[in-house]
Amino acid sequence: MTNDFDTALLRSFVSVVRCGSINRAAILQGKTQPALSQQIQRLEQQLGHALLLRSNRGIRLSTEGEALLPYAERILSLTDQLSLKPASQGKLHCSIGLVEDLVSNHFTRVLADFACVHPGLSLRVEVANKQSLFAAFERGELDVLVSMPIANAPAPIQEFSFPLYWFAAHGFEHQGESLPLVIFSQPCSWRNRILEALNREGIPWHIVFESSSLAALQAATEAGLGVVALFSQTPPKHSQRLTQLPALPNITIAVYRQRGDMDGTVQDLTNLFLREMQHNIVTPNDGEGQ
């Protein structure tokens, strides 16, 4: 076994994990399926362990694959930043706003690694609801904002469409006619759309827990109180995806930068975030083969 890994192999491994399918990852990377499979095999040979376990339902990570994933993602994040301009060419302070729904390992690691590569930069991250973030953005307190759009918002740099999925604790069993829901409190742009999806299918529901906090919803779901609709990047721990419930609408996430701000550091930070959003837009599809 060698500790000198080809980043191209790591990138293919991470892409397959994020896509949940070798087929989909190959399309995303512009490669053939056999070529991508060979890269995964080469990485597994280097490590001396199987990283992906294949079945008719798709792929899942082996124990060794789960251990490698966070290291591979961080190596790629740092590698992607080698071509960035030094922070000295831009401002010394950067502020970014994030809606709590996007605070996952992927996004926070990008910000932490950016600050690590640019030690002279003071990076401030504000996590709040979209109304508060847009108010701060309009006051010029945020250089970059990543949020669901609001009415009369400025034109974004780019928009992405992320699907919502149903989650429940492992072993959760729905008893009774009415579906117990764990859901965001009002105001929430998702809430009505989630309820409408259930109503269209004639599925009775009742709210057992509601909160404006993502962490609170995750904890309530982990405790087995009910089912929750979240992004695939922020599932509750020890949870399972539910596929028998109605399909949920996609949620638009937009990236904003202050108008006329051509600062190199802000541009680099924006580009890194756009890249991470693009990587995470492809999500696993249960039941899909390799």
Side-chain angles (χ1 to χ4, degrees):
M1 172 180 166
T2 175
N3 291 325
D4 298 325
F5 295 113
D6 184 344
T7 55
L9 303 185
L10 293 177
R11 194 174 300 279
S12 292
F13 166 67
V14 171
S15 180
V16 170
V17 173
R18 284 175 169 172
C19 293
S21 158
I22 293 180
N23 276 334
R24 299 179 72 188
I27 293 171
L28 185 66
Q29 291 200 354
K31 299 176 181 176
T32 65
Q33 179 184 341
L36 188 57
S37 295
Q38 285 184 344
Q39 286 192 312
I40 299 299
Q41 290 170 4
R42 284 171 56 195
L43 184 59
E44 290 177 328
Q45 289 170 358
Q46 275 190 293
L47 287 166
H49 297 288
L51 300 174
L52 302 175
L53 303 178
R54 299 159 176 83
S55 70
N56 292 334
R57 295 191 59 190
I59 61 171
R60 61 185 177 87
L61 285 170
S62 66
T63 301
E64 292 78 12
E66 290 178 351
L68 175 64
L69 182 60
Y71 293 101
E73 289 177 328
R74 185 153 198 193
I75 289 170
L76 293 176
S77 177
L78 292 170
T79 300
D80 288 342
Q81 295 179 54
L82 292 177
S83 61
L84 297 180
K85 303 172 185 177
S88 59
Q89 296 186 20
K91 63 201 300 183
L92 297 178
H93 305 275
C94 260
S95 298
I96 183 168
L98 288 175
V99 286
E100 188 183 13
D101 316 83
L102 289 177
V103 181
S104 69
N105 289 339
H106 295 301
F107 300 118
T108 52
R109 186 162 47 241
V110 166
L111 299 174
D113 287 346
F114 186 83
C116 180
V117 171
H118 301 282
L121 175 70
S122 174
L123 183 62
R124 182 177 69 87
V125 179
E126 182 173 342
V127 179
N129 60 53
K130 64 181 182 180
Q131 288 80 9
S132 298
L133 291 176
F134 270 101
F137 186 74
E138 288 296 323
R139 294 192 298 267
E141 298 172 3
L142 299 174
D143 298 299
V144 180
L145 169 61
V146 184
S147 170
M148 285 78 75
I150 64 172
N152 302 317
I157 301 299
Q158 191 169 346
E159 290 185 343
F160 299 87
S161 184
F162 285 82
L164 291 174
Y165 295 101
W166 294 105
F167 293 95
H170 281 296
F172 173 83
E173 293 185 6
H174 171 209
Q175 298 179 350
E177 295 183 357
S178 181
L179 183 70
L181 293 181
V182 175
I183 197 167
F184 278 109
S185 305
Q186 293 283 24
C188 172
S189 56
W190 303 4
R191 183 181 172 118
N192 289 342
R193 299 174 69 184
I194 292 170
L195 299 180
E196 287 170 2
L198 293 172
N199 291 338
R200 280 195 301 270
E201 297 298 323
I203 298 176
W205 53 267
H206 65 283
I207 296 174
V208 294
F209 185 92
E210 58 182 306
S211 173
S212 60
S213 166
L214 172 63
L217 297 190
Q218 292 170 327
T221 306
E222 292 166 24
L225 296 186
V227 302
V228 69
L230 294 174
F231 291 135
S232 64
Q233 293 83 6
T234 55
K237 293 181 180 178
H238 313 298
S239 65
Q240 59 180 328
R241 281 262 307 276
L242 302 178
T243 58
Q244 66 270 32
L245 292 175
L248 292 165
N250 285 5
I251 302 298
T252 298
I253 302 294
V255 179
Y256 301 85
R257 190 179 64 234
Q258 289 293 345
R259 295 172 183 171
D261 194 342
M262 299 303 292
D263 180 84
T265 303
V266 173
Q267 182 63 55
D268 289 342
L269 183 57
T270 303
N271 289 341
L272 277 176
F273 223 92
L274 290 172
R275 183 183 306 162
E276 190 68 15
M277 295 279 282
Q278 185 62 51
H279 286 166
N280 278 275
I281 200 169
V282 181
T283 51
N285 181 16
D286 284 352
E288 183 177 355
Q290 300 174 29

